[in-house]
Amino acid sequence: MAAAAPSKAQVLSLFRAFLRTGRKFSDYNIREYTVRRAADAFRDNRALADAPAAAAAFADGKQQLEVAKRQVLVYSLYAPKAKSVVEMKIQ
């Protein structure tokens, strides 16, 4: 049985969830990498035409989102208290 392709609303919801999760990382480099990697992955997969490939990419995206959510928790437990130079405000 072939898997149904996700709807546009489901894909956008997953993308927004990636962006929200990415913004939760305390480290600037990891935060920017996560957001950039999510955008690149969605951009690469936007041209998937057949339903099974789109469904597989969507399922993989959901799994990657769960991994990112767990990593946010782990990084928050061991994050350094000092901010990056990039994040410091100029006074």
Side-chain angles (χ1 to χ4, degrees), residues 30-71:
I30 297 169
R31 186 171 54 243
E32 291 300 312
Y33 171 78
T34 303
V35 170
R36 185 178 65 245
R37 179 65 186 101
D40 289 347
F42 277 84
R43 190 176 306 114
D44 291 344
N45 290 324
R46 72 177 167 198
L48 293 177
D50 58 336
F58 186 73
D60 183 53
K62 286 173 43 175
Q63 289 176 342
Q64 294 300 320
L65 177 61
E66 293 306 315
V67 170
K69 286 179 179 180
R70 287 192 301 271
Q71 289 300 315

Side-chain angles (χ1 to χ4, degrees), residues 3-26:
S7 70
K8 185 175 180 178
Q10 289 174 312
V11 173
L12 287 174
S13 176
L14 181 63
F15 181 64
R16 287 184 193 116
F18 260 109
L19 295 180
R20 280 192 303 273
T21 301
R23 286 192 294 257
K24 291 179 183 177
F25 281 103
S26 57

